[in-house]
Amino acid sequence: MDTWQEVSASVERRLAAASSSERKVFAAGIAERLMSWHEALPAEEHAPFTMSLRPLLNSVWEGVLGDTAAFTAVKRGVAEYMLSDYCHNDDQDGPDDADEHAAAATLYAAHAYLFGCNDFAVWASRRAVDAMDQHLEYLTEQDEDLPEPDAALLAELQRQLGDLDLIANYAKDLRYSSTGLPIHTLIRLRVELRTPLSSRD
């Protein structure tokens, strides 16, 4: 049986071989799952900066699925982050809200949409693994029963491989997403791609 590190390497190889448009959708899916998990926390555990990124993530989704009008909203959202105190080089002395997993993955997804670089999709993938690892640590601290750590990380990465398989089925549609897709295609992709990729199960 493969280790989670081996499967992580497989995910990264698949991302390197995928088209830019496929990587953008993958990163959006990772960010959506992490954001949904965060939104499901009790209100007192919500990170304000993370919650403020929901509109940006919604715009990323529209953009990666072929709505070119979303570009301006995503560009503005990234610029607002870059100009804020959350984007800093103060190490431990600066605010760390942007380092929360859902926030970081959303910003990676936004950068993936704007620039198409493979690195951003890879970093989003790693954030999901880190988030799972952090969740396991939390369960340990609460003295709750928890799955075997390596198995949980492996399950997350296998989910990512499944996401890549699903996205690959839509490669022909996504090939032209950066130049805009017809509204009926966009609506279909919302149902057939965004919905399953957003599932937390």
Side-chain angles (χ1 to χ4, degrees):
M1 182 178 182
D2 290 337
T3 66
W4 71 264
Q5 293 93 340
E6 290 170 329
V7 179
S8 179
S10 294
V11 169
E12 294 187 15
R13 285 194 296 271
R14 288 281 302 274
L15 285 169
S19 70
S20 172
S21 296
E22 291 172 73
R23 290 194 294 265
K24 293 175 184 181
V25 174
F26 174 83
I30 294 287
E32 181 65 46
R33 286 195 288 120
L34 293 178
M35 181 66 77
S36 295
W37 286 333
H38 191 82
E39 291 169 336
L41 293 172
E44 62 271 16
E45 296 182 32
H46 288 166
F49 179 70
T50 300
M51 299 297 286
S52 77
L53 293 177
R54 166 49 77 183
L56 174 60
L57 181 53
N58 288 340
S59 295
V60 168
W61 268 118
E62 292 301 288
V64 301
L65 295 182
D67 182 358
T68 56
F71 181 84
T72 298
V74 176
K75 181 178 64 173
R76 182 180 297 114
V78 170
E80 288 173 354
Y81 159 69
M82 297 293 286
L83 293 170
S84 75
D85 291 338
Y86 299 113
C87 181
H88 60 83
N89 61 354
D90 296 326
D91 197 32
Q92 300 300 315
D93 295 326
D96 62 0
D97 302 50
D99 196 42
E100 188 278 323
H101 296 304
T106 296
L107 293 168
Y108 290 148
H111 282 79
Y113 167 65
L114 292 176
F115 306 113
C117 301
N118 182 49
D119 286 348
F120 294 117
V122 169
W123 294 335
S125 167
R126 292 177 183 172
R127 276 292 178 164
V129 174
D130 290 344
M132 176 60 71
D133 193 43
Q134 184 179 56
H135 181 62
L136 293 172
E137 290 179 11
Y138 169 80
L139 293 178
T140 300
E141 292 171 0
Q142 302 301 312
D143 292 325
E144 294 186 27
D145 291 334
L146 68 160
E148 198 277 320
D150 282 0
L153 299 179
L154 185 60
E156 166 59 35
L157 289 159
Q158 288 172 333
R159 161 69 191 264
Q160 293 184 23
L161 286 176
D163 288 350
L164 286 166
D165 287 339
L166 173 63
I167 295 166
N169 292 332
Y170 294 86
K172 288 185 178 179
D173 286 326
L174 295 172
R175 182 181 307 157
Y176 303 105
S177 61
S178 63
T179 56
L181 295 175
I183 187 62
H184 65 273
T185 303
L186 175 59
I187 293 170
R188 177 171 58 83
L189 292 178
R190 285 176 186 155
V191 174
E192 298 178 8
L193 270 182
R194 179 172 180 172
T195 298
L197 292 174
S198 300
S199 170
R200 291 188 288 143
D201 299 330

